[in-house]
């Protein structure tokens, strides 16, 4: 719970300061923590943080009336979640975090310029982070909610695979050739 | 005759790079059989068929089943074995006192099927299952680097997992393509077949096959 409370406070502060870099870093950290602690609300907070970062880098979003309303609502929900956690109302706190995702989806649908929403991209980022932390592709896909195929391609476009050699290639190929005759 | 169990990562990479034909090719040329457990079938066919953007890929994979180049395989003990693999793998490492749940159902079942189906190799492109089989300590060191914390290894879980990982030979879709290339899979491209093979391996890497940059470069010469 401490991790979630800290996360909520940090996201709120970064949002109020319009600090998109802090939101981006928070997003990665929260995804990694969600895997370690198996906490779906930490994952959702990671998605929120990523989405806020993205919105703040797009003037066609953050200069609109819709953003102003959304931003106010998001701060309110983060406050509500923090208060609920402080008073031991864990499920209320988690519901409040979850509600922010719906608000993000609405904003993305109304103002976004791309077919895949900001939340889809957030899930891919979270999935890649969880994969980097040691999870399998299937587990990273399951925990982040990212589609397995899309996550596979996303990971393939990074250098994550560079760290995971476990047998010399020649040995693996020689054994393969021997098997197939 | 050679038989392999496949997890979804390798089949997805082959499907998304238009290399599924390698299954039929090796079935005919080398008498190979490619087996998938029920959970993998769900992951690559049943579930994506419900999503419009992935239905085409799922349908191409289903055709492999229909044509007999992929076969669903199971055993009376598959669910029990799958749970044993999952429990062992997902209690193997602890960070800050918390177990890391490394594997999901499909991967665990592909490994469980390897033992019960008595096959020759496990076809898997993603890195965690491969590392758990070949070098769990390498995986532990990587995770330590990521979390900047010590990874504790549970010896009981390690021994339970070894029951399933001992003697497992891991192959990736790139190695499968390499043997197919040697047997003439790309011969229709004439003198350009080597270039086609190398381009196909690069495409597999982009589709998520866990190949390092060194391995990608090595593929340029290792089959000479």
């Amino acid at each position: 719970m401490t991790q979630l409370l800290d996360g909520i406070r940090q996201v709120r502060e970064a949002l109020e300061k319009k600090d998109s870099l802090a939101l981006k870093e928070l997003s990665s950290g929260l995804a990694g923590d969600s895997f370690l602690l198996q906490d779906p609300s930490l994952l959702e907070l990671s998605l929120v943080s990523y989405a806020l970062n993205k919105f703040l880098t797009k003037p066609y979003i953050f200069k609109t009336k819709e953003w102003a309303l959304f931003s106010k609502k998001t701060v309110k929900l983060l406050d509500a979640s923090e208060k609920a956690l402080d008073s031991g109302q864990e499920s209320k706190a988690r519901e409040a975090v979850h509600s922010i995702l719906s608000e993000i989806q609405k904003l993305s649908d109304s103002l976004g310029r791309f077919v895949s929403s900001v939340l889809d991209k957030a899930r891919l980022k979270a999935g890649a982070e969880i994969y980097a932390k040691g999870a399998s592709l299937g587990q990273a896909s399951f925990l982040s909610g990212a589609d397995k195929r899309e996550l596979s391609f996303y990971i393939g476009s990074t250098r994550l695979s560079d760290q995971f050699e476990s047998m010399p290639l020649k040995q693996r190929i020689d054994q393969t050739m021997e098997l197939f005759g | 005759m050679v038989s392999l169990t496949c997890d979804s990562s390798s089949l997805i990479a082959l499907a998304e790079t238009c290399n599924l034909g390698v299954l039929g090719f090796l079935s005919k040329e080398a008498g190979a059989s490619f087996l998938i457990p029920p959970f993998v079938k769900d992951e690559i066919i049943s579930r994506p068929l419900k999503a419009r953007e992935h239905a085409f890929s799922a349908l191409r994979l289903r055709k492999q089943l229909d044509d007999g180049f992929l076969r669903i395989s199971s055993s009376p003990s598959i669910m029990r074995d799958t749970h044993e693999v999952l429990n062992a793998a997902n209690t193997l490492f602890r960070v800050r006192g918390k177990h890391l749940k490394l594997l999901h159902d499909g991967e665990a079942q592909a490994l469980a099927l390897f033992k019960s189906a008595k096959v020759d190799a496990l076809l898997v492109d993603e890195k965690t299952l491969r590392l758990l089989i070949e070098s769990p300590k390498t995986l532990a060191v990587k995770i330590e680097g990521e979390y900047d914390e010590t990874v504790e290894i549970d010896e009981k879980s390690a021994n339970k997992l070894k029951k399933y990982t001992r003697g497992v030979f891991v192959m990736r879709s790139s190695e499968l393509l390499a043997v197919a290339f040697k047997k003439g899979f790309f011969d229709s491209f004439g003198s350009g077949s080597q270039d086609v093979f190398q381009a196909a391996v690069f495409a597999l890497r982009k589709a998520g096959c866990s190949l390092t940059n060194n391995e990608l470069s090595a593929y340029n010469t290792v089959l000479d």
Side-chain angles (χ1 to χ4, degrees), chain B residues 2-3 13 34 41-43 61 64 66 73 78 90 118 137 145 152 165-166 176 186 191 200 210 218:
Chain B
V2 58
S3 55
F34 299 93
K41 187 229 171 187
D42 274 345
E43 285 176 2
L61 281 160
Q64 297 298 309
D66 294 343
S73 183
I78 193 83
N90 293 344
K118 296 187 172 68
K137 287 206 172 113
E152 292 161 34
T165 61
R166 196 172 286 120
L176 198 70
F186 293 112
S191 57
S210 178

Side-chain angles (χ1 to χ4, degrees), chain A residues 131 135-138 148-149 151-153 155-156 160-162 164-166 169 172 176, chain B residues 4-17 19-20 22-23 34 40 43-44 103 106-107 110 121-134 169-178 200-212 215 219:
Chain A
Y131 185 81
S136 67
L137 178 69
K148 202 171 187 177
R149 277 167 175 75
L151 184 57
S152 190
F153 263 100
I155 286 165
L160 280 173
S161 295
D162 278 355
F164 300 115
E165 195 165 326
S166 50
L169 180 66
R172 199 184 298 280
T176 302
Chain B
L4 300 89
T5 54
C6 314
D7 106 312
S8 32
S9 60
S10 52
L11 295 171
I12 285 171
L14 288 168
E16 297 297 319
T17 57
N19 281 304
L20 275 178
V22 75
L23 301 180
F34 299 93
V40 170
E43 285 176 2
I44 63 170
L103 285 191
E107 291 132 358
L122 176 64
L123 188 70
V124 57
D125 276 13
E126 74 87 36
K127 58 86 172 88
T128 301
L129 182 55
R130 170 169 55 82
L131 285 167
L132 284 174
I133 293 165
E134 295 181 346
F169 174 57
V170 174
M171 203 185 295
R172 295 166 296 196
S173 58
S174 51
E175 282 84 52
L176 198 70
L177 212 60
V201 171
F202 187 80
L204 285 172
R205 153 74 190 257
K206 287 295 247 179
C209 179
S210 178
L211 283 160
T212 66
E215 287 177 315
Y219 260 108

Side-chain angles (χ1 to χ4, degrees), chain A residues 28-29 31-33 35-36 125-135 159-164, chain B residues 95-96 100 102 127 138-151:
Chain A
S28 294
D33 285 342
F35 170 52
L36 177 60
K125 279 288 238 181
E129 185 65 34
I130 292 169
Y131 185 81
K133 290 286 191 281
R159 301 186 65 171
L160 280 173
S161 295
D162 278 355
Q163 313 160 44
F164 300 115
Chain B
V95 173
R96 292 184 225 154
L100 284 178
L102 299 171
K127 58 86 172 88
T138 301
L139 185 59
V141 166
K142 295 301 173 194
I143 293 171
E144 279 181 342
E146 282 290 326
Y147 280 108
D148 203 19
E149 304 248 9
T150 307
V151 168

Side-chain angles (χ1 to χ4, degrees), chain A residues 27-28 31 43 46-55 57-58 60-61 104-105 108 111-129 144-147 150-151 154:
Chain A
S27 171
S28 294
L43 189 275
S46 164
L47 304 182
V48 167
S49 198
Y50 177 87
L52 293 175
N53 152 59
K54 280 288 151 188
F55 289 150
T57 61
K58 291 170 173 35
Y60 68 84
I61 291 180
I104 288 170
Q105 190 63 53
S108 185
L111 294 178
R113 292 177 177 173
F114 300 95
V115 171
S116 66
S117 75
V118 72
L119 283 179
D120 290 336
K121 288 175 199 150
R123 290 188 191 284
L124 284 176
K125 279 288 238 181
E129 185 65 34
S144 64
D147 175 80
E150 289 175 28
L151 184 57
Y154 183 80

